Amino acid sequence: YDLAIKDYTEALKIDPKMEVLHYNTAFVYEAQGDYVKALEEARKLSLKEFPEVEQYISKLEQLVKTK
């Protein structure tokens, strides 16, 4: 997971508007159990590109509360 985070972070420096990178970064943070960072990344997503983002954010908010 650490290598994925490093690679996505580097890619976001090149193109911070590439939303799929934010989505993938959020997913990796979630898989690591770092729900706060996952939520930070998920909040950067737009409904246009990721219509399911509202549900994903709600899920992460619940995980942050229960951790």
Side-chain angles (χ1 to χ4, degrees):
Y1 292 123
D2 293 334
L3 181 57
I5 293 292
K6 180 182 173 200
D7 288 347
Y8 289 137
T9 301
E10 289 300 314
L12 282 165
K13 287 178 185 175
I14 296 167
D15 189 356
K17 293 182 181 180
M18 188 172 222
E19 292 199 34
V20 71
L21 295 173
H22 291 290
Y23 179 82
N24 291 346
T25 304
F27 185 78
V28 173
Y29 279 132
E30 180 188 4
Q32 286 183 311
D34 193 338
Y35 306 125
V36 172
K37 286 185 180 178
L39 188 56
E40 289 173 4
E41 288 299 318
R43 287 186 171 144
K44 296 174 185 175
L45 300 170
S46 72
L47 284 172
K48 180 180 176 186
E49 291 291 320
F50 293 92
E52 70 280 2
V53 73
E54 287 180 338
Q55 293 89 359
Y56 186 53
I57 287 173
S58 292
K59 172 188 165 185
L60 290 171
E61 286 173 339
Q62 288 302 313
L63 289 169
V64 167
K65 287 179 187 177
T66 59
K67 189 170 184 184

